[in-house]
């Protein structure tokens, strides 16, 4: 429950909702990929903290906003869905888990209930990291594991993302740009310190996907989405240096300013620089990887910069 409540708060902060904003259970359930029951329990819990209030026959509405909402005393639970998810993710990347697993196997290994295991696997399914086999069992899909693959991922992004900005059909999505700006400002206004790894990854990935989507080229956008899907687990597991994310968000805002000012050539140049710097920081070495590094696990040497 605390995990769902935290995700609801993060979503509301990212949208910069005003007091009185109506909270629709089904809309929140769809956004978070859960059923309405845990959303309702999370809203009831947030009501006890004074963040929302229930209105007879109308559901819930927002009471607290801004800093008051961001600094709610939400408990962290070592047995939360997020903690369980990260335990499984870590063993996936370490090769402890086989490519195919059953729910019973995971229940025994991690001492979880079937419901807890199903929530982990269903989330991996939504994120494209696992898929259910016909009949029983789950299969983990491919994802990035080595520093060489990470290097190649960023080199590819340095090709397609700057190029997307120069496409003749590039058109700014005003609503999407406004949402991206709100989320970057929310990160600078406390989100970097408080948000979960998953939420930080989502905001960073969606920023770049928003820019590329404006090119109107479905192949460019699909390529970027596939890359983000492949690197998701490694981002969740890696060292998280939150202090570096402040400069990243500032650069994202600068890119938005340039694009909105019509300076797409300069924005393309800055995007390439941005990705190149991030690549060097993640690998802790700006030089290309050694040819024999392909099978070397990335481990904890990669830092998170989205």
């Amino acid at each position: 429950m605390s995990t769902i409540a935290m995700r609801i708060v993060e979503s509301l902060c990212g949208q910069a909702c005003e007091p009185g904003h109506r909270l629709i259970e089904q809309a929140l359930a769809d956004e978070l990929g859960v059923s309405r029951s845990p959303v309702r329990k999370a809203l009831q819990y947030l009501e006890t903290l004074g963040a929302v209030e229930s209105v007879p026959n109308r559901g819930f509405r927002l009471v607290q906003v801004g800093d008051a909402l961001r600094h709610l005393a939400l408990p962290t639970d070592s047995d939360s869905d997020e903690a369980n998810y990260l335990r499984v993710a870590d063993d996936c990347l370490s090769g402890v888990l086989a490519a195919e697993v059953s729910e019973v196997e995971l229940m025994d290994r991690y001492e979880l209930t079937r419901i807890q295991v199903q929530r982990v696997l269903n989330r991996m399914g939504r994120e494209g990291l696992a898929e259910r086999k016909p009949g029983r069992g789950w299969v983990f899909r491919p994802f990035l594991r080595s520093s060489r693959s990470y290097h190649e991922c960023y080199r590819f992004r340095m090709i397609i993302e700057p190029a997307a900005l120069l496409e003749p059909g590039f058109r700014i999505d005003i609503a999407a740009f406004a949402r991206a700006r709100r989320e970057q400002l929310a990160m600078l206004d406390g989100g970097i310190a408080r948000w979960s790894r998953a939420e930080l990854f989502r905001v960073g990935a969606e920023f770049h996907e928003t820019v590329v989507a404006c090119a109107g080229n479905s192949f460019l956008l699909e390529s970027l989405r596939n890359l983000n899907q492949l690197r998701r687990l490694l981002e969740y597991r890696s060292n998280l240096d939150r202090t570096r994310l402040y400069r990243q968000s500032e650069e994202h805002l600068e890119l938005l300013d340039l694009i909105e000012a019509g300076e797409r050539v300069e924005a393309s140049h800055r995007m390439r620089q941005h990705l190149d710097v991030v690549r060097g920081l993640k690998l802790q070495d700006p030089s290309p990887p050694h040819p024999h590094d392909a099978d070397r696990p990335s481990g904890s040497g990669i830092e998170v910069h989205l």
Side-chain angles (χ1 to χ4, degrees):
M1 180 179 65
S2 61
T3 300
I4 298 297
M6 184 176 296
R7 292 175 66 190
I8 291 174
V9 168
E10 289 169 352
S11 175
L12 294 173
C13 289
Q15 298 175 53
C17 296
E18 298 293 329
H21 175 78
R22 187 182 174 195
L23 303 172
I24 302 174
E25 289 180 9
Q26 188 59 59
L28 288 170
D30 292 342
E31 178 183 348
L32 302 178
V34 298
S35 66
R36 291 180 62 178
S37 179
V39 168
R40 185 179 302 112
K41 291 179 180 179
L43 290 172
Q44 291 170 345
Y45 173 65
L46 289 173
E47 184 174 24
T48 66
L49 300 179
V52 304
E53 65 179 1
S54 57
V55 182
N57 302 318
R58 292 185 60 84
F60 292 85
R61 66 185 179 189
L62 187 61
V63 175
Q64 295 184 4
V65 296
D67 289 340
L69 189 60
R70 293 188 183 92
H71 295 101
L72 285 175
L74 293 172
T76 57
D77 184 356
S78 60
D79 293 324
S80 68
D81 290 348
E82 184 74 10
N84 294 333
Y85 181 96
L86 292 175
R87 289 166 65 196
V88 175
D90 188 74
D91 285 348
C92 282
L93 283 168
S94 301
V96 173
L97 291 176
E100 298 185 11
V101 295
S102 68
E103 292 180 4
V104 172
E105 177 186 349
L106 296 182
M107 289 167 59
D108 292 341
R109 175 180 290 275
Y110 301 105
E111 298 182 350
L112 300 175
T113 66
R114 184 177 294 276
I115 294 298
Q116 288 175 309
V117 167
Q118 289 175 343
R119 285 200 289 258
V120 170
L121 291 172
N122 287 333
R123 175 176 167 184
M124 285 188 158
R126 292 193 303 271
E127 294 180 347
L129 298 171
E131 57 185 8
R132 189 188 297 273
K133 294 175 57 182
R136 296 184 177 181
W138 288 74
V139 178
F140 295 118
R141 301 184 65 185
F143 40 82
L144 300 184
R145 293 177 182 268
S146 70
S147 58
R148 180 179 180 83
S149 62
Y150 229 81
H151 168 80
E152 293 173 350
C153 166
Y154 269 85
R155 293 297 300 181
F156 183 70
R157 290 182 64 187
M158 287 166 63
I159 295 171
I160 66 170
E161 293 192 45
L165 283 159
L166 302 179
E167 280 291 283
F170 191 96
R171 297 290 184 274
I172 294 174
D173 184 331
I174 297 175
F177 265 46
R179 182 172 60 252
R181 186 178 292 278
R182 286 196 303 269
E183 289 190 327
Q184 295 303 313
L185 290 172
M187 283 183 65
L188 292 171
D189 190 25
I192 290 174
R194 295 186 61 252
W195 292 358
S196 68
R197 292 168 180 252
E199 186 68 5
L200 291 171
F201 176 84
R202 180 194 66 78
V203 171
E206 288 186 0
F207 170 84
H208 286 273
E209 290 174 9
T210 294
V211 173
V212 170
C214 293
N217 187 316
S218 61
F219 291 96
L220 291 174
L221 180 57
E222 188 63 23
S223 295
L224 180 58
R225 284 176 173 167
N226 286 338
L227 285 177
N228 285 337
Q229 183 172 288
L230 288 171
R231 69 189 180 93
R232 188 185 301 270
L233 269 188
L234 193 56
E235 297 284 0
Y236 288 172
R237 181 187 184 236
S238 303
N239 294 334
L240 180 59
D241 183 356
R242 294 176 185 258
T243 61
R244 297 182 186 271
L245 297 183
Y246 289 93
R247 181 55 191 160
Q248 170 196 292
S249 288
E250 291 169 354
E251 289 181 359
H252 285 172
L253 291 170
E254 290 167 2
L255 283 166
L256 292 177
D257 290 340
L258 285 170
I259 298 169
E260 291 175 334
E263 301 290 341
R264 288 197 285 127
V265 173
E266 177 62 21
S268 175
H269 175 67
R270 295 280 288 276
M271 178 68 82
R272 192 178 191 282
Q273 286 184 323
H274 171 75
L275 292 170
D276 197 25
V277 169
V278 170
R279 179 190 61 82
L281 290 172
K282 283 177 178 289
L283 295 170
Q284 299 181 338
D285 181 358
S287 61
H290 188 278
H292 297 302
D293 194 33
D295 299 323
R296 188 176 303 163
S298 300
S300 60
I302 292 179
E303 297 180 354
V304 171
H305 309 272
L306 308 171

